[in-house]
Amino acid sequence: EMLFIMTIAGSIYFFIKWTKSNSYLNLIIAAIFVSASTLTRYEGYLFTLSSIIFVALVALIKTKKINTI
């Protein structure tokens, strides 16, 4: 349980850091945390799906220069 919470918190931290800095290294680290969350609990698969949608939306917003959703 604690390991799952740590992987979710780590991935959210690096996702936010990626949106601010636009560094692919932060995105890769976030992806590693997301992958680790799937290894700890089955709920990690739902988090994987939501993180894929999040990355797609952020990439779309950044490429279209949209400031609000």
Side-chain angles (χ1 to χ4, degrees):
E1 186 78 24
M2 208 55 174
L3 185 60
F4 179 70
I5 294 170
M6 191 265 316
T7 57
I8 297 295
S11 62
I12 290 172
Y13 172 76
F14 282 105
F15 275 135
I16 292 171
K17 204 169 173 187
W18 168 68
T19 59
K20 304 270 185 211
S21 69
N22 211 17
S23 171
Y24 287 116
L25 180 63
N26 292 326
L27 186 60
I28 291 170
I29 295 171
I32 291 170
F33 275 109
V34 170
S35 298
S37 73
T38 61
L39 296 174
T40 57
R41 292 187 57 148
Y42 287 118
E43 289 85 2
Y45 290 112
L46 182 63
F47 185 68
T48 302
L49 180 64
S50 64
S51 63
I52 290 170
I53 294 169
F54 174 75
V55 169
L57 283 175
V58 169
L60 180 70
I61 289 170
K62 285 186 175 187
T63 57
K64 299 289 184 183
K65 304 293 185 205
I66 300 171
N67 292 330
T68 58
I69 295 178

